[in-house]
Amino acid sequence: METLIQQFINGLVIGSVYALIALGYTMVYGILGLINFAHGDVLMVGALVALQTMMFLMGMAPGMSPLVMLAIALLVAIVVCMLLGFTMERLAYRRLRNAPRLAPLITAIGVSFLLQTIAMIIWGRNYHTYPQLISTTPLQPIEGVFVTPVQITIVIASAALMIGLLLLVNRTKIGRAMRATAENHRVASLMGVDTNAVIAFTFVVGAALAAVAGVMFASNYGIAHYGMGFMPGLKAFTAAVLGGIGNLGGAMLGGVMLGLVESFGAGYIEHLTFGFLNSSYQDIFAFIILGLVLIFRPTGLLGERVSDRA
Amino acid sequence: MITLLEARNIGKRFGGLQALSDVSLTIRKGEVYGLIGPNGAGKTTFFNVLTGAYTPDGGEFVFNGSELPVGKPHKVVGRGIARTFQNIRLFRELTALENVMAGHHIRTKAGVWGVLTQNRFTREEERLTTERAYELLKYVGIERFAEVVSKNLSYGDQRRLEIARALATEPQLLALDEPAAGMNATETAQLKLLIEQIRRDGITVMLIEHDVKLVMGLCDRVAVLDFGKKIAEDVPAVVQRNDAVIAAYLGGGKHAH
Amino acid sequence: MNELAAAVPWLGKRNPMAARWLILIIAIVAPFIAWQFGKSWVRILDFALLYMMLALGLNLVVGFAGLLDLGYIAFYAVGAYTFAFLASPHFDVHLPFWVILPLGAGFAALAGIMLGFPVLRLRGDYLAIVTLGFGEIVRIFMLNLNYPVNITNGPQGINMIDPINLFGWDLSRNIQVTENFTINSLFLYYYFFLLAVAASIVFIQRLQISRVGRAWAAMRDDELAAKAIGINTRNMKLLAFSLGATFGGVSGCLFGAFQGFVSPESFSLMESIAVLTMVVFGGMGNIAGAVVGAFVLALLPEVLRDVAVPLQQTLFGHVLLDPEVLRMLLLSLAMILMMLLRPAGMIPARARYSHDHHLSNKLKQGGAK
Ligand SMILES: Nc1ncnc2c1ncn2[C@@H]1O[C@H](COP(=O)(O)OP(=O)(O)OP(=O)(O)O)[C@@H](O)[C@H]1O
Ligand SMILES: [Mg+2]
C-alpha cells in the first residue's frame, strides 16, 4: 500500500512537469501544426541558465535567501527562454510556414541539436549537480511514504501555472486571438488579428513554461546537463498526443497520466516480465504509449476528430 | 439501357452537418450524368463517398451488378471508377507523362523482383506504360508538355492532365469534379469536346459542374442536390424548369458561376 | 549514375560520358590519394562508403516515399548485431559471411515491416516521432539485454567479430604482393564496399524508374490522389520501409565485420540524424544527392578534426571545440541552413521516374514535336 501511494506521488510530480512541457508542444501544434522538436531543449536551456544564475548569485551575494535566489534565477531563465523561443520562431519556423511538410520538422530537429551543441560548448559535457534551494529533506505524511518540499512545490506551482494559462487563453483578448488563429489563420487575419504576433506570442509563452519546467525537472533530480531536455521533451510530446494534441486540457491530463504510468510501470515491470526487464526500461513506456495511442486513438483522449479533406 | 452505377440511400454526416441524406440515383452505361447544386450541397462529398475516400454512414453503391467496397479507394479504382478533384491534385514533382504513367499503376503488375532484375516482362510493361501514357496525353491534347514537371503547367493543362491520369486507370465510370472551374471560354469549349470524345469511346461520365451551359450542353441527365438531398433528376431541359431547383439556386443566395 | 554524372560541375552538362569516367576514376583512385595523408584516411573513406549506403537507403524512405524515418539507424544496428551474434566468440558461432548477410538484411527488413505495420496510417510528423521512439527502444534493449540473460553484452558491446571473408579470401589481411609492396586490408574493404555501393545505386535507380518508384513518388506528393488512382498506399509504404531497412541491415553487417566490434554507442539518435542530414544536404529524393551528401558530411568532420583542432591550439592555446562538438555543430547547422536556404539540397537534380528512351521512341514514331 505504501509503495502504491509513493508511486502515485512520484508519478504526480513528474507528471506535472510533463504537463507543463506538453502545453508548449500542444499550443504550437494547435496553432501551426508544427511539432516543435526543439521544445525539450528549451527546457534544458532554462535549467542551465537558472543554474548559471544561481552560481553567480551564490558567488556575489552568499547571504541571499535561497528563495529570493531561486526566484531571480527562475526569472532570468524565463526571460532567456522567451527570447530563445521568439528567435527560433522568427529566424527559422516563420520562413517555413508554407514550405513542403517535412521541411519545418527537419528544421526543428536541426534546431534541437544545435541548441544541445551550443549548450555543450557553454556548459561542457558533464553533469552538473543542481543546487537544492528548496529543501529536499523528505517529509513523511504517512508512515513509509516520502515526499519532499521540492515535490510539493512542483505540483502546486505547475497547477498554478496551468490555471494561469487557461485563464490567459480563455479570458483575455490575446487568448481569443490565439484561438482564432488556431481555428483558421486566414480568417483570423481577415478579422484583424495579427497572426504573426500571435504565433510569436505562443512560442514565447510555451518557452516560458518550458523554462519553469526545466528548473523543476533539474531540481527534482538534482542534476542538469546539455542533453537533459531530450527525454522529457519526447515524453511531454507523448503526453500531448495522449491528451489530444492541440487541446490544452488534454496536455495536462496526458502529462499527469504519463507520469503515473511511468511511475507505476517502473515499479512493477520486473514482476510483470518475471524479472526479465527491470526499471532501466522505464523510458520505453512513453514510446509504447505513444505508439498505442497513435494507432488506436490518434486524436488522443480529449481530441476532436480531424479528417483529411478530399 | 444498362445500369452501370446505382447509389442506394447514401448518407454522410460531418459532426452536426448532414452533407448527404438518403441520396439514391442511377447512372446508365454510356451517358453523361450531371450532378449539380449550390455550393456546399454535397456534390464533392458524394464523389468522396463513391470513390472510397470517405465511408458513408449508410447506404450502398452497386456497380456493374455488385456492391462496391467501402473505404478502400484503391479497390474502387480497380473496379473501374476514376475521379478528378475539384482542387487539382496532381503529383507535383512528376512530369505530365509520369503522372499519367502513375495512373496506370493498378493495371500493371511489375514488382520489386522484376524491377531489380529488369526482366523481359517488366521492360515490356514499362514500355507499354510509357506509350499508353503518351497516347493519353495526346488524347487530352497536352502531349507537347510530356516532360514538363506538372506543377509548372498552366491551370487548364493541369485539369486536362488530371483527366488523362484518371483515364490511365482504364475506368468505366469517370467522375469529374468541376473540370471547367478556372478555365476560359476556349478551354471550356475544348473540354466539352474532350468529354464528348470520352463518351464516344465508351466511358460513362459523371460530371459535377457549375457552368450551366456546359452541363446543359453535355449531360443526358442531371441530378440536383440541395443541402445533401436530391431534389430533382431528369433531362436538363426539364430540370431547368423545375421550381424546386430554381428555388434552391435562388434561395441559397449563392449563384452558380 | 546518370544523375551522379550530371551533378559533376561544368563537365556534367557538357559531356556526361566524360563525367562518368571521371567519377569512376575518382572512385578508384580515391584510396590511393587518401593513403598519402595517412592510413586513417583510407579507413575514413571506408566508413564514408558505409554512410553512403545508409544514406541511399534512407533516401529511399524519406526522399522517394516521403516517410520521415528518424529511427533508421536501428536497422543498421539490427544488421550489425546480427553479424556480431553469428560471427563472433560471443555465442561462439561463426557462420560464413554469405550466410549472415542475407540474414542481416532479412532481419532488418522484418524489423522494418514490424515497425511499419502499426505506424503507417500516421501523418508525416507523427511517423517521425514514432520511428524515433522505435530507434530509442532498440538502443535501450541493446544497452540492457545483458541481464538476466546476456544477449547483447550491454554497453560493452560485442568484440572480436569475424572479418569479411569472401569464399576463403579474408579481407582483413594485407596482401603481400612483392617484398616491399603490400595491399593494405583497408583497400580491400574499400573496393568491396565500393562494389556494394555501386550495386545499391543500380538497384535504387531501377526502383526509382519503375512502377514502384512512381507509386512512391505519387504517394509522397499527394497521398489522397495516389489512393484515388488505385495505389495501395499501405503496401507501398511497407515496401519502402522494408527495402530501406534492408539497405540499413546490409550496411550494418558490413560495418560490424569491418569494425570488428559493435556497441550501442554507434547507434545513437545522433547517427540517425547524421544520416538524415546527409540526405537533406545532398538533396532529398535523388540518388546523387544521397551519395554526395554522405561523402561530404562523412569526410568534413574528419577534415575539421585534422584542421580545426591544431588551428585552435595555435590560435587559443587550447582546444575550444572538440571534434565531436564540431561534428554536431556542422550537422545541425547543415540541416537548418539547407532547409531555410536551399531546401532541394546541394544537388537539386530532378529525379526521373520514367525512361526517356521509351518516350523518344514514341516521339519518333508519332513524328510529333
Ligand atoms: N471533411 C469534411 N469535414 C467536415 N465537413 C465537410 C467535409 N467535407 C465537406 N464538408 C462539408 O459538407 C458540406 C458539403 O460539402 P461538399 O464539398 O460536398 O459541397 P459541394 O457541393 O461540392 O460544394 P462546392 O460547389 O462548393 O464544391 C459542406 O458544408 C462542407 O463544408
Ligand atoms: Mg465540391
Side-chain angles (χ1 to χ4, degrees):
Chain A
M1 190 61 199
E2 287 82 34
T3 28
L4 207 67
I5 300 176
Q6 184 69 58
Q7 265 147 5
F8 181 79
I9 291 175
N10 294 348
L12 190 67
V13 172
I14 193 66
S16 10
V17 181
Y18 290 160
L20 273 191
I21 315 169
L23 284 171
Y25 274 114
T26 241
M27 282 195 295
V28 167
Y29 192 91
I31 247 170
L32 278 184
L34 164 76
I35 297 178
N36 180 14
F37 204 87
H39 189 62
D41 300 289
V42 176
L43 166 158
M44 171 271 296
V45 172
L48 286 170
V49 166
L51 173 71
Q52 193 77 50
T53 317
M54 287 189 261
M55 303 305 250
F56 176 78
L57 291 175
M58 280 173 192
M60 291 296 288
M64 190 184 267
S65 114
L67 279 185
V68 176
M69 208 179 265
L70 184 64
I72 296 178
L74 203 54
L75 207 67
V76 174
I78 290 176
V79 170
V80 170
C81 286
M82 282 172 139
L83 281 174
L84 183 63
F86 182 78
T87 318
M88 285 195 303
E89 196 275 329
R90 203 54 228 268
L91 291 187
Y93 302 141
R94 184 172 294 184
R95 291 147 164 259
L96 291 169
R97 257 181 237 158
N98 298 314
R101 64 197 171 87
L102 291 185
L105 186 58
I106 293 177
T107 311
I109 295 167
V111 171
S112 161
F113 277 86
L114 184 64
L115 287 180
Q116 288 187 33
T117 314
I118 293 174
M120 198 196 264
I121 295 171
I122 300 178
W123 287 288
R125 270 169 219 270
N126 30 5
Y127 289 70
H128 303 273
T129 26
Y130 215 74
Q132 307 282 1
L133 295 181
I134 297 178
S135 160
T136 47
T137 330
L139 313 172
Q140 249 191 102
I142 308 171
E143 185 65 24
V145 175
F146 298 92
V147 49
T148 65
V150 175
Q151 293 182 313
I152 298 174
T153 316
I154 288 178
V155 174
I156 293 175
S158 317
L161 281 172
M162 289 188 235
I163 292 170
L165 185 76
L166 284 181
L167 289 178
L168 176 83
V169 171
N170 289 318
R171 292 287 160 80
T172 64
K173 201 162 158 236
I174 179 86
R176 205 163 56 229
M178 281 166 82
R179 281 179 289 142
T181 310
E183 196 70 42
N184 189 329
H185 286 217
R186 219 166 35 86
V187 174
S189 66
L190 283 179
M191 295 191 316
V193 175
D194 180 355
T195 48
N196 276 337
V198 169
I199 291 170
F201 181 76
T202 309
F203 268 88
V204 167
V205 172
L209 292 178
V212 180
V215 175
M216 288 175 172
F217 197 78
S219 305
N220 190 40
Y221 290 110
I223 226 162
H225 74 128
Y226 76 94
M228 66 177 279
F230 179 71
M231 267 298 162
L234 264 181
K235 288 178 181 171
F237 174 75
T238 303
V241 173
L242 176 61
I245 195 142
N247 181 315
L248 296 184
M252 300 175 196
L253 178 72
V256 174
M257 276 181 66
L258 183 66
L260 292 175
V261 168
E262 241 183 45
S263 164
F264 284 110
Y268 293 105
I269 188 170
E270 276 207 78
H271 300 284
L272 290 176
T273 58
F274 306 104
F276 193 72
L277 303 182
N278 54 32
S279 55
S280 38
Y281 291 91
Q282 181 184 355
D283 287 340
I284 69 176
F285 286 109
F287 296 123
I288 292 174
I289 289 183
L290 180 62
L292 292 178
V293 173
L294 286 176
I295 293 159
F296 294 109
R297 202 181 153 83
T299 52
L301 297 173
L302 303 184
E304 289 165 28
R305 216 180 150 71
V306 277
S307 63
D308 208 5
R309 281 207 174 199
Chain B
M1 281 291 172
I2 310 163
T3 302
L4 181 65
L5 175 79
E6 194 187 341
R8 292 184 188 147
N9 312 98
I10 302 297
K12 178 70 191 175
R13 201 178 175 82
F14 295 114
L17 180 93
Q18 191 73 40
L20 289 175
S21 58
D22 229 11
V23 176
S24 300
L25 48 84
T26 318
I27 299 180
R28 300 169 190 151
K29 216 165 224 162
E31 71 179 341
V32 175
Y33 187 94
L35 188 62
I36 62 171
N39 290 113
K43 306 178 296 291
T44 300
T45 304
F46 185 84
F47 270 22
N48 284 335
V49 175
L50 167 67
T51 56
Y54 294 162
T55 30
D57 305 328
E60 63 197 5
F61 291 102
V62 177
F63 185 69
N64 261 334
S66 60
E67 210 175 308
L68 278 181
V70 164
K72 294 209 173 69
H74 62 274
K75 294 215 164 134
V76 175
V77 183
R79 290 282 304 277
I81 300 180
R83 75 174 290 186
T84 64
F85 293 90
Q86 181 171 352
N87 45 345
I88 307 173
R89 303 187 77 137
L90 288 169
F91 307 129
R92 296 168 45 79
E93 304 295 331
L94 301 194
T95 60
L97 185 82
E98 289 160 359
N99 263 278
V100 185
M101 288 176 78
H104 209 44
H105 181 88
I106 192 145
R107 305 293 168 209
T108 45
K109 292 200 183 61
V112 172
W113 183 250
V115 167
L116 289 185
T117 55
Q118 288 288 306
N119 57 18
R120 260 269 285 298
F121 172 81
T122 307
R123 284 194 319 241
E124 187 57 18
E125 191 185 81
E126 185 74 10
R127 194 180 60 77
L128 282 175
T129 301
T130 318
E131 284 190 3
R132 237 192 95 66
Y134 184 77
E135 304 281 305
L136 279 168
L137 286 179
K138 214 156 150 186
Y139 188 81
V140 301
I142 55 171
E143 77 278 11
R144 63 187 179 286
F145 301 130
E147 295 194 83
V148 176
V149 176
S150 66
K151 66 179 174 197
N152 299 331
L153 288 174
S154 76
Y155 196 77
D157 290 336
Q158 291 197 359
R159 286 233 174 263
R160 285 195 272 184
L161 177 55
E162 225 191 359
I163 296 178
R165 184 180 71 185
L167 287 172
T169 67
E170 298 173 7
Q172 290 174 279
L173 176 66
L174 177 66
L176 303 173
D177 196 345
E178 300 196 21
M183 284 189 171
N184 60 31
T186 336
E187 287 173 324
T188 308
Q190 285 172 343
L191 177 72
K192 183 160 179 263
L193 292 179
L194 176 62
I195 296 176
E196 278 164 354
Q197 182 65 45
I198 291 173
R199 187 222 324 237
R200 270 199 299 282
D201 291 335
I203 297 171
T204 310
V205 177
M206 191 174 182
L207 177 69
I208 295 179
E209 193 46 73
H210 280 304
D211 186 328
V212 179
K213 244 178 67 200
L214 188 66
V215 172
M216 297 306 160
L218 265 174
C219 296
D220 300 302
R221 289 189 309 140
V222 177
V224 186
L225 286 184
D226 188 28
F227 290 113
K229 289 200 184 64
K230 189 177 87 174
I231 56 169
E233 181 183 31
D234 214 318
V235 295
V238 177
V239 166
Q240 218 167 359
R241 276 180 275 113
N242 183 315
D243 288 341
V245 174
I246 294 166
Y249 270 96
L250 297 179
K254 302 175 199 159
H255 290 271
H257 303 299
Chain C
M1 192 67 200
N2 288 340
E3 268 176 39
L4 208 54
V8 176
W10 195 75
L11 195 59
K13 294 229 162 48
R14 277 153 230 259
N15 193 343
M17 202 60 202
R20 263 187 233 198
W21 282 107
L22 187 69
I23 293 172
L24 197 66
I25 291 168
I26 291 177
I28 288 172
V29 302
F32 291 95
I33 299 170
W35 184 259
Q36 306 306 313
F37 296 93
K39 194 172 155 186
S40 69
W41 283 97
V42 186
R43 206 180 156 72
I44 289 166
L45 277 186
D46 292 356
F47 277 115
L49 286 173
L50 289 178
Y51 274 120
M52 260 180 220
M53 207 156 158
L54 282 176
L56 283 165
L58 183 62
N59 179 50
L60 191 152
V61 184
V62 182
F64 289 175
L67 306 166
L68 187 50
D69 183 351
L70 294 183
Y72 188 66
I73 213 72
F75 304 124
Y76 192 51
V78 169
Y81 269 86
T82 305
F83 202 95
F85 290 151
L86 299 179
S88 77
H90 182 59
F91 292 132
D92 211 13
V93 186
H94 297 274
L95 296 183
F97 174 73
W98 292 115
V99 175
I100 309 176
L101 192 67
L103 279 177
F107 284 144
L110 210 64
I113 292 176
M114 261 168 46
L115 168 65
F117 248 116
V119 303
L120 286 180
R121 280 188 321 179
L122 304 180
R123 280 191 35 189
D125 32 14
Y126 283 168
L127 183 78
I129 307 282
V130 174
T131 50
L132 182 153
F134 172 77
E136 285 299 291
I137 289 179
V138 169
R139 204 173 58 87
I140 291 173
F141 273 98
M142 287 187 299
L143 270 174
N144 294 301
L145 270 186
N146 51 348
Y147 162 90
V149 193
N150 186 359
I151 302 176
T152 62
N153 207 25
Q156 284 87 33
I158 298 172
N159 282 307
M160 293 175 25
I161 301 173
D162 300 346
I164 294 181
N165 191 317
L166 309 171
F167 310 108
W169 180 21
D170 184 343
L171 291 190
S172 70
R173 294 234 174 84
N174 302 344
I175 299 178
Q176 188 90 34
V177 183
T178 63
E179 187 134 348
N180 43 21
F181 181 68
T182 53
I183 301 177
N184 191 280
S185 135
L186 290 170
F187 282 77
L188 303 179
Y189 273 111
Y190 177 86
Y191 291 114
F192 183 59
F193 290 175
L194 188 64
L195 278 179
V197 168
S200 309
I201 292 179
V202 171
F203 279 173
I204 289 180
Q205 178 114 48
R206 286 182 171 183
L207 282 168
Q208 175 185 321
I209 304 185
S210 78
R211 173 176 181 266
V212 178
R214 280 188 299 273
W216 282 335
M219 190 171 83
R220 172 198 68 199
D221 283 359
D222 191 329
E223 185 163 348
L224 196 79
K227 284 182 183 160
I229 57 164
I231 292 170
N232 183 338
T233 50
R234 196 200 49 180
N235 288 0
M236 291 318 287
K237 285 182 183 176
L238 274 182
L239 187 63
F241 250 71
S242 55
L243 281 179
T246 309
F247 283 95
V250 168
S251 31
C253 282
L254 300 182
F255 169 76
F258 174 57
Q259 171 149 289
F261 75 93
V262 295
S263 72
E265 209 182 314
S266 309
F267 310 107
S268 65
L269 175 65
M270 192 58 212
E271 289 304 308
S272 277
I273 302 296
V275 180
L276 178 66
T277 314
M278 293 170 183
V279 174
V280 167
F281 181 78
M284 273 187 279
N286 78 76
I287 292 174
V291 170
V292 174
F295 184 76
V296 172
L297 290 183
L299 247 61
L300 211 51
E302 305 299 332
V303 176
L304 282 179
R305 187 192 297 271
D306 260 29
V307 176
V309 173
L311 189 72
Q312 292 180 49
Q313 286 281 12
T314 42
L315 281 184
F316 314 113
H318 61 110
V319 181
L320 278 179
L321 306 176
D322 65 64
E324 192 46 35
V325 171
L326 276 174
R327 178 169 184 250
M328 278 182 71
L329 207 56
L330 184 78
L331 290 175
S332 49
L333 280 175
M335 188 141 41
I336 299 170
L337 294 180
M338 287 314 282
M339 280 296 125
L340 289 178
L341 306 177
R342 218 181 144 103
M346 290 315 285
I347 318 262
R350 196 194 82 81
R352 294 202 61 101
Y353 299 91
S354 58
H355 289 287
D356 26 355
H357 61 89
H358 284 324
L359 181 63
S360 43
N361 281 347
K362 189 64 215 162
L363 289 176
K364 252 182 264 153
Q365 277 172 31
K369 205 172 184 180

